[in-house]
PDB file of all heavy atoms in Angstrom:
ATOM      1  N   LEU B  35      11.099  16.705   5.345  1.00 99.00           N
ATOM      2  CA  LEU B  35      12.283  17.580   5.722  1.00 99.00           C
ATOM      3  C   LEU B  35      13.153  16.717   6.515  1.00 99.00           C
ATOM      4  O   LEU B  35      12.883  16.305   7.648  1.00 99.00           O
ATOM      5  CB  LEU B  35      11.832  18.798   6.529  1.00 99.00           C
ATOM      6  CG  LEU B  35      13.014  19.816   6.729  1.00 99.00           C
ATOM      7  CD1 LEU B  35      13.193  20.620   5.358  1.00 99.00           C
ATOM      8  CD2 LEU B  35      12.754  20.690   7.839  1.00 99.00           C
ATOM      9  N   ALA B  43      25.210  13.234   6.533  1.00 98.00           N
ATOM     10  CA  ALA B  43      24.369  12.056   6.867  1.00 98.00           C
ATOM     11  C   ALA B  43      22.933  12.331   6.408  1.00 98.00           C
ATOM     12  O   ALA B  43      22.268  11.470   5.806  1.00 98.00           O
ATOM     13  CB  ALA B  43      24.406  11.793   8.391  1.00 98.00           C
ATOM     14  N   CYS B  78      10.590  23.927   6.607  1.00 98.00           N
ATOM     15  CA  CYS B  78       9.497  23.144   6.198  1.00 98.00           C
ATOM     16  C   CYS B  78       8.386  23.982   5.632  1.00 98.00           C
ATOM     17  O   CYS B  78       7.814  23.697   4.524  1.00 98.00           O
ATOM     18  CB  CYS B  78       9.026  22.243   7.332  1.00 98.00           C
ATOM     19  SG  CYS B  78       7.740  21.053   6.815  1.00 98.00           S
ATOM     20  N   HIS B 129       1.306  26.160  13.253  1.00 98.00           N
ATOM     21  CA  HIS B 129       0.895  25.745  11.919  1.00 98.00           C
ATOM     22  C   HIS B 129      -0.128  24.668  11.936  1.00 98.00           C
ATOM     23  O   HIS B 129      -1.074  24.714  11.199  1.00 98.00           O
ATOM     24  CB  HIS B 129       2.171  25.237  11.169  1.00 98.00           C
ATOM     25  CG  HIS B 129       3.271  26.428  11.077  1.00 98.00           C
ATOM     26  ND1 HIS B 129       3.160  27.436  10.362  1.00 98.00           N
ATOM     27  CD2 HIS B 129       4.434  26.445  11.776  1.00 98.00           C
ATOM     28  CE1 HIS B 129       4.229  28.232  10.538  1.00 98.00           C
ATOM     29  NE2 HIS B 129       4.953  27.615  11.371  1.00 98.00           N
ATOM     30  N   THR B 159      15.361   8.312  31.976  1.00 98.00           N
ATOM     31  CA  THR B 159      14.609   9.260  32.632  1.00 98.00           C
ATOM     32  C   THR B 159      14.019  10.299  31.658  1.00 98.00           C
ATOM     33  O   THR B 159      12.813  10.657  31.738  1.00 98.00           O
ATOM     34  CB  THR B 159      15.307   9.942  33.781  1.00 98.00           C
ATOM     35  OG1 THR B 159      15.905   8.877  34.573  1.00 98.00           O
ATOM     36  CG2 THR B 159      14.434  10.804  34.685  1.00 98.00           C
ATOM     37  N   GLY B 261       7.840  -7.750  21.558  1.00 98.00           N
ATOM     38  CA  GLY B 261       7.263  -8.396  22.706  1.00 98.00           C
ATOM     39  C   GLY B 261       8.245  -8.511  23.909  1.00 98.00           C
ATOM     40  O   GLY B 261       7.821  -9.058  24.983  1.00 98.00           O
TER      41      GLY B 261
END
Side-chain angles (χ1 to χ4, degrees):
L35 190 78
C78 185
H129 303 287
T159 309

